[in-house]
Amino acid sequence: MAEKQDQQHPQWSSDRQIANALLSGDPTDYNLSELARLRIRYNGFPGARDIQADLDKVLEQWGLTEEELFEKTRQIHQTSQIYQGRNNQREDWS
């Protein structure tokens, strides 16, 4: 049985920059939202192992489980529009 080869995610380059910023950043509302967004994007993705590992590191650095992260970001999105004014013309569904 042949091993499946890792895939390159089309958003890898921009996401790599975000992951780097998160590694050296603080758990602000915006950074928590970005971490949650990338965790969802790469959940089960067959590749981008470097980004996935770094997202795990950020969770650990901030002392959060994924469940706690998602709970916090649900609260953030209920009370504020964290992405308001940021690239409103382009929706990012990838």
Side-chain angles (χ1 to χ4, degrees):
M1 186 169 171
E3 246 185 77
K4 289 186 179 179
Q5 189 170 1
D6 278 359
Q7 296 176 19
Q8 174 84 17
H9 195 283
Q11 298 291 331
W12 181 90
S13 183
S14 60
D15 291 345
R16 176 73 264 165
Q17 293 174 16
I18 294 167
N20 289 344
L22 293 174
L23 280 166
S24 61
D26 294 318
T28 63
D29 285 357
Y30 179 77
N31 284 346
L32 288 166
S33 297
E34 285 291 87
L35 178 58
R37 183 176 68 82
L38 292 182
R39 295 284 298 188
I40 291 166
R41 173 178 287 169
Y42 288 98
N43 182 30
F45 181 75
R49 310 265 181 227
D50 61 324
I51 289 178
Q52 292 183 42
D54 284 347
L55 298 178
D56 289 343
K57 280 184 207 168
V58 173
L59 269 182
E60 188 176 319
Q61 285 175 3
W62 293 350
L64 295 170
T65 65
E66 187 174 75
E67 187 175 311
E68 291 168 332
L69 170 69
F70 291 155
E71 178 59 33
K72 282 180 178 286
T73 54
R74 276 192 292 274
Q75 292 171 2
I76 291 166
H77 288 296
Q78 284 177 354
T79 59
S80 63
Q81 294 183 344
I82 207 75
Y83 294 114
Q84 183 176 8
R86 297 183 65 87
N87 239 354
N88 279 345
Q89 295 83 11
R90 180 175 151 242
E91 292 189 18
D92 185 0
W93 292 95
S94 54

